[in-house]
Amino acid sequence: MKILISNDDGYNAAGLEALVKELSKVAELVVVAPDRNRSGSSSSLTLNQAVKVTKVNDSFYYIDGTPTDCVHIALTGLINFIPDLVVSGINHGPNMGDDTIYSGTVAAALEGYLLNIPSFSISMGSDNPKNFKTAAKVTLELIKLYNKKKLSPTLLNINVPDISYDNLKGIEITRLGKRHEAKPAIKDEVKNNETFFWIGAAGEPKDAGPGTDFNAINNDKVSITPIQADLTDHQNTQNIKEWIKK
């Protein structure tokens, strides 16, 4: 089995290291990751300049671009084979609910999915996590399951509680929850008529009831949410047709 691995925390991130160590037991791996932390980059592509690829060895590269750059370049020009899976992670924090819109981790997996390859996005369920080995073992189990019963091209957003593997209470197939509005931007300083701001923290969970990714993590379960790239609001299409007629 051949797997392409990427992330958004950078090629030297602890989560990536743990994932590579575990998945190398069952697959031939190629890592193509950003040269530094690219969290929050979503599905951005670098279009205004060439992207530099640095080769560490035949199975490890880092790129001065976004996570989407990494997977796109890997699959359309850098590597000479089509991988069986694209796995992105392990992210150093959660990607639940609204987080998925901004996440570079999810975006890297999404790019594999858009290029018709089953893809997993793997994230830790809390900030400043320590139990990367738990998420790596869960990913390995899911890959073994995938090998027994193949899926059509599918994008799975997977969040793993930051606890020991033995304390996990199972796996739940979930939907994305929703957060409250993000905290306001934080003004830092003003210099020469230039004002500097920090983006505010993400909002607390709002829709976090049974069946959501937030609820699964709160109950020490692995959350697996199938997601898709179609952003069309199908339920509202007819309303918009009637509105435009008026």
Side-chain angles (χ1 to χ4, degrees), residues 1-6 16 19-20 22-32 58-60 71 74-75 79 81-89 117-120 122 136 139-144 146-147:
M1 189 179 191
K2 295 182 179 181
I3 298 176
L4 171 65
I5 293 180
S6 192
L16 180 70
L19 188 65
V20 168
E22 199 69 23
L23 299 195
S24 63
K25 298 175 182 178
V26 297
E28 178 184 335
L29 308 179
V30 173
V31 176
V32 184
D58 288 340
S59 62
F60 202 110
V71 175
L75 296 177
I79 61 177
F81 62 90
I82 303 298
D84 300 291
L85 279 173
V86 172
V87 179
S88 178
I117 299 171
S119 300
F120 296 170
I122 316 293
T139 306
L140 180 62
E141 287 185 350
L142 292 174
I143 289 172
K144 289 179 178 178
Y146 171 81
N147 276 335

Side-chain angles (χ1 to χ4, degrees), residues 3-170:
I3 298 176
L4 171 65
I5 293 180
S6 192
N7 72 349
D8 74 353
D9 290 308
Y11 73 98
N12 59 354
L16 180 70
E17 181 181 357
L19 188 65
V20 168
K21 183 177 180 180
E22 199 69 23
L23 299 195
S24 63
K25 298 175 182 178
V26 297
E28 178 184 335
L29 308 179
V30 173
V31 176
V32 184
D35 62 350
R36 59 191 183 277
N37 191 310
R38 295 282 188 164
S39 297
S41 58
S42 190
S43 287
S44 58
L45 281 169
T46 303
L47 302 177
N48 59 347
Q49 64 184 45
V51 178
K52 181 175 70 174
V53 178
T54 301
K55 179 179 179 180
V56 179
N57 56 51
D58 288 340
S59 62
F60 202 110
Y61 303 81
Y62 60 86
I63 289 180
D64 67 339
T66 68
T68 301
D69 288 334
C70 292
V71 175
H72 187 85
I73 289 172
L75 296 177
T76 63
L78 180 60
I79 61 177
N80 59 3
F81 62 90
I82 303 298
D84 300 291
L85 279 173
V86 172
V87 179
S88 178
I90 302 167
N91 192 59
H92 291 207
N95 278 307
M96 299 183 287
D98 312 49
D99 304 341
T100 56
I101 299 296
Y102 305 101
S103 168
T105 304
V106 175
L110 174 61
E111 190 66 14
Y113 169 73
L114 291 175
L115 293 172
N116 212 36
I117 299 171
S119 300
F120 296 170
S121 169
I122 316 293
S123 302
M124 298 301 299
S126 64
D127 295 318
N128 302 313
K130 297 180 180 179
N131 292 279
F132 292 108
K133 187 175 181 179
T134 300
K137 290 181 71 172
V138 167
T139 306
L140 180 62
E141 287 185 350
L142 292 174
I143 289 172
K144 289 179 178 178
L145 178 61
Y146 171 81
N147 276 335
K148 290 180 180 178
K149 189 173 183 180
K150 293 288 195 295
L151 293 170
S152 59
T154 301
L155 175 56
L156 300 182
N157 185 47
I158 301 161
N159 285 272
V160 181
D162 186 26
I163 57 179
S164 68
Y165 180 83
D166 292 338
N167 287 328
L168 289 175
K169 295 181 180 177

